[in-house]
């Protein structure tokens, strides 16, 4: 529990409140501005939200943003737990009169920080009144007060990479990636779990999705033993389905692949994530990737086998033009840390497979002992998150048309290599997915 107590925010105005509640249920977050000097808002805070007089509607997390005007800062609210309109009179029956009077006083302004003792009594009273959400409230506590060191376990690297892959998918799709941090909740035992499995709205794949994309993904997708979870996003009549598949436990997962398929351009791209190591012997502790991990050569062969079996490009259709028909990329990441409340993508270098082969043969990538080491300095050129997303979004890069028959083999091979596969399907409409 917070050492400084929690915050109570009161919102007034019927029309405005319904708009904010729509944001809560639709987007999973909203931002408002408050005078934050008096309440001394921390980076992340436990909060209670009131949209009706003498009632508490939601528990949530609040994060301080930028100052918008003199004395006011933006505050972003996320990770809501619906309390179904708890009345102050219900709480008054559980806590002492002195604490209850302080709670009532908190409703006189827009924002108020309750003293620690009062906050704890109110928070515990809410758990008693609404036992069905007590577990969710405990998860909010853990999110608010989690020690960053808790997320340094090796398995959390996989979770962080899966989260980044989902974020990249949303950027390509053109939706707000911030919603994924608002949907994530820690597991009941607070141990690492696949990222999509921990999303509130995630579910197992429905048979209708499989039927729509059977021609793309093949028979393997009917085996629900490998399905971790799926989540759907819609925007302007378009639909994005993001699915996580894995054949092993997260503790034994060797890495993450992102596969993105766009029905409009009939193209897919695949990104394979690699963590760079820090060279402690160098002056600047520069990040280095050395292709010596046990699965590396098998992964390269998997990509090459797929390329060898792809149809040759021959169409002159406008939507089928590509700057490159090689769909394979590595994303080298100098730092992979799971930050559950962060909205940022992992920084890294996207390197196309063709250029990767050039780098392997280049004298610039040879280390002092003749080994290959890829760094920011000797790579010279690469795509960052923004440039990669834009190229995929507009269909400038990706597989040639009719190559989607290779997707099932590609994904199956990744699963056999004990990799977590995040694959996404973007379509203009549900009907487009059956074409």
């Amino acid at each position: 529990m917070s050492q400084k107590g929690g915050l109570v925010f009161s919102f007034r105005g019927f029309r405005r409140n319904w708009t904010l509640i729509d944001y809560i249920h639709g987007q999973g977050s909203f931002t408002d501005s408050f005078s934050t000097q008096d309440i001394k808002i921390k980076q992340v805070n436990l909060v209670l939200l009131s949209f009706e007089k003498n009632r508490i509607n939601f528990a949530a997390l609040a994060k301080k943003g930028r100052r918008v005007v003199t004395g006011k800062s933006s505050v972003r609210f996320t990770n809501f737990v619906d309390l179904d309109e708890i009345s102050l009179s219900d709480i008054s029956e559980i806590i002492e009169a002195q604490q209850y009077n302080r709670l009532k006083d908190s409703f006189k302004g827009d924002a108020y920080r309750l003293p620690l003792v009062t906050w704890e009594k109110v928070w515990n009273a809410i758990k008693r009144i609404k036992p069905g959400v007590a577990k969710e409230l405990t998860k909010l506590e853990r999110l608010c007060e989690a020690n960053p060191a808790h997320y340094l376990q090796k398995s959390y690297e996989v979770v962080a990479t899966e989260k980044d892959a989902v974020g990249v998918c949303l950027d390509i799709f053109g939706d707000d990636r911030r919603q994924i941090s608002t949907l994530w909740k820690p597991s009941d035992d607070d141990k690492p779990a696949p990222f999509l499995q921990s999303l509130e709205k995630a579910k197992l794949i429905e048979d209708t999705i499989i039927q729509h994309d059977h021609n793309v993904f093949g028979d393997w997708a009917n085996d629900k033993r490998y399905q971790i979870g799926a989540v759907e996003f819609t925007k302007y009549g378009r639909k994005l389905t993001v699915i996580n598949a894995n054949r092993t436990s997260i503790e034994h997962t060797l890495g993450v692949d992102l596969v993105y398929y766009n029905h409009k351009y009939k193209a897919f791209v695949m990104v394979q994530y690699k963590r760079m190591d820090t060279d402690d012997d160098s002056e600047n502790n520069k990040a280095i990737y050395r292709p010596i991990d046990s699965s590396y050569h098998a992964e390269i062969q998997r990509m090459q086998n797929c390329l060898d079996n792809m149809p040759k490009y021959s169409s002159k259709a406008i939507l089928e033009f590509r700057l490159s028909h090689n769909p394979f990329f590595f994303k080298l990441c100098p730092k992979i840390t799971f930050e559950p409340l962060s909205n940022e993508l992992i920084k890294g270098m996207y390197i196309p497979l063709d250029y990767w082969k050039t780098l392997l043969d280049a004298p610039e990538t040879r280390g002092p002992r003749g080994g290959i080491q890829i760094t920011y300095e000797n790579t010279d050129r690469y795509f960052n998150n923004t440039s990669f997303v834009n190229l995929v979004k507009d269909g400038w890069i990706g597989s040639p048309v009719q190559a989607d028959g290779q997707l099932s083999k590609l994904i199956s091979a990744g699963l056999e290599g004990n990799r977590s596969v995040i694959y996404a399907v973007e379509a203009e409409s549900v009907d487009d997915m059956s074409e």
Side-chain angles (χ1 to χ4, degrees):
M1 187 69 72
S2 170
Q3 296 302 305
K4 293 184 179 181
L7 293 159
V8 177
F9 288 86
S10 299
F11 301 86
R12 298 293 177 258
F14 179 80
R15 180 173 295 180
R16 175 173 178 265
N17 285 2
W18 275 110
T19 299
L20 294 180
I21 291 173
D22 283 344
Y23 273 111
I24 291 173
H25 293 302
Q27 302 297 325
S29 68
F30 70 88
T31 301
D32 210 336
S33 58
F34 296 89
S35 176
T36 56
Q37 184 175 0
D38 295 335
I39 58 177
K40 297 179 181 178
I41 190 168
K42 303 186 302 178
Q43 188 65 14
V44 180
N45 302 256
L46 284 172
V47 299
L48 297 172
L49 307 182
S50 171
F51 292 97
E52 300 173 83
K53 186 176 180 180
N54 296 328
R55 292 183 181 275
I56 300 174
N57 301 88
F58 295 91
L61 296 182
K63 188 174 182 180
K64 183 179 179 180
R66 297 178 180 178
R67 187 169 66 178
V68 290
V69 294
T70 303
K72 280 196 172 186
S73 297
S74 63
V75 178
R76 186 162 182 266
F77 300 91
T78 64
N79 301 82
F80 301 94
V81 175
D82 193 339
L83 301 179
D84 193 25
E85 302 180 7
I86 293 178
S87 69
L88 295 191
S89 60
D90 291 337
I91 297 176
S92 70
E93 297 176 3
I94 298 176
I95 65 176
E96 297 89 341
Q98 181 183 9
Q99 313 302 337
Y100 176 66
N101 289 332
R102 287 178 175 171
L103 176 62
K104 283 203 307 181
D105 288 341
S106 70
F107 280 71
K108 294 178 180 178
D110 293 334
Y112 185 89
R113 180 176 289 280
L114 288 174
L116 176 59
V117 173
T118 304
W119 173 262
E120 289 181 340
K121 290 183 179 296
V122 171
W123 189 261
N124 290 328
I126 291 173
K127 288 183 177 181
R128 286 180 58 184
I129 296 168
K130 298 289 183 180
V133 298
K135 187 179 293 185
E136 296 303 308
L137 294 176
T138 300
K139 289 181 180 181
L140 282 189
E141 295 172 33
R142 293 210 303 262
L143 273 173
C144 184
E145 307 211 355
N147 186 333
H150 174 72
Y151 296 117
L152 294 181
Q153 301 176 48
K154 183 70 175 178
S155 297
Y156 273 116
E157 279 195 16
V158 176
V159 181
T161 309
E162 291 174 339
K163 177 185 177 185
D164 185 77
V166 177
V168 171
C169 291
L170 280 170
D171 277 8
I172 295 171
F173 184 59
D175 209 345
D176 186 354
R177 103 170 76 93
R178 294 181 300 176
Q179 58 192 298
I180 61 175
S181 63
T182 68
L183 295 174
W184 187 86
K185 292 289 180 64
S187 60
D188 291 343
D189 58 8
D190 209 21
K191 292 182 179 179
F195 181 74
L196 272 186
Q197 190 180 69
S198 301
L199 287 191
E200 283 186 325
K201 295 183 179 179
K203 58 183 183 301
L204 290 181
I205 303 172
E206 297 175 359
D207 291 337
T208 52
I209 299 175
I210 296 299
Q211 291 168 7
H212 281 310
D213 275 302
H214 182 270
N215 63 319
V216 176
F217 295 109
D219 293 332
W220 77 267
N222 289 304
D223 194 334
K224 288 183 168 57
R225 290 177 299 169
Y226 310 136
Q227 297 170 17
I228 304 299
V231 63
E232 294 177 352
F233 305 92
T234 56
K235 187 172 184 179
Y236 303 135
R238 295 158 51 238
K239 179 178 178 180
L240 177 71
T241 304
V242 185
I243 304 165
N244 184 196
N246 200 340
R247 281 180 175 163
T248 188
S249 65
I250 196 165
E251 293 84 2
H252 297 97
T253 299
L254 298 180
V256 175
D257 294 339
L258 164 61
V259 180
Y260 193 99
Y261 182 78
N262 189 314
H263 275 272
K264 177 180 179 180
Y265 297 106
K266 295 181 172 58
F268 72 84
V269 294
M270 191 194 90
V271 179
Q272 188 167 107
Y273 285 81
K274 293 292 184 182
R275 179 175 59 84
M276 304 174 79
D277 295 317
T278 300
D279 187 357
D280 296 327
D281 296 329
S282 67
E283 293 182 3
N284 299 318
N285 292 332
K286 64 182 178 182
I288 294 176
Y289 174 71
R290 297 179 177 89
I292 57 175
D293 43 296
S294 58
S295 59
Y296 167 76
H297 293 291
E299 291 158 0
I300 286 286
Q301 189 60 52
R302 171 164 57 112
M303 298 178 193
Q304 191 58 53
N305 289 343
C306 187
L307 284 173
D308 292 341
N309 288 286
M310 276 188 187
K312 302 302 179 184
Y313 174 73
S314 60
S315 174
K316 297 184 183 298
I318 292 175
L319 295 182
E320 296 174 16
F321 176 82
R322 312 276 189 267
L323 294 176
S324 170
H325 289 89
N326 190 327
F328 298 110
F329 292 78
F330 287 99
K331 182 176 182 180
L332 305 189
C333 307
K335 182 180 180 182
I336 301 178
T337 304
F338 183 57
E339 300 178 46
L341 299 179
S342 172
N343 301 312
E344 301 301 318
L345 296 179
I346 297 173
K347 291 181 171 56
M349 299 187 288
Y350 294 84
I351 302 177
L353 181 59
D354 289 337
Y355 186 46
W356 181 263
K357 294 176 180 178
T358 299
L359 291 172
L360 296 182
D361 294 331
E364 291 88 345
T365 62
R366 294 291 170 178
R369 300 179 183 178
I372 298 171
Q373 50 184 36
I374 309 295
T375 68
Y376 274 86
E377 291 76 16
N378 63 29
T379 299
D380 187 65
R381 291 174 294 167
Y382 54 87
F383 298 123
N384 59 20
N385 286 312
T386 301
S387 54
F388 175 78
V389 163
N390 288 335
L391 288 170
V392 177
K393 180 187 298 184
D394 295 329
W396 290 113
I397 57 176
S399 62
V401 173
Q402 305 304 326
D404 51 16
Q406 296 300 314
L407 267 177
S408 178
K409 297 177 183 177
L410 181 70
I411 294 173
S412 294
L415 295 175
E416 289 170 2
N418 288 345
R419 297 184 67 83
S420 172
V421 179
I422 301 287
Y423 68 94
V425 185
E426 177 185 340
E428 290 297 318
S429 68
V430 175
D431 293 337
D432 289 343
M433 299 180 72
S434 60
E435 291 181 356

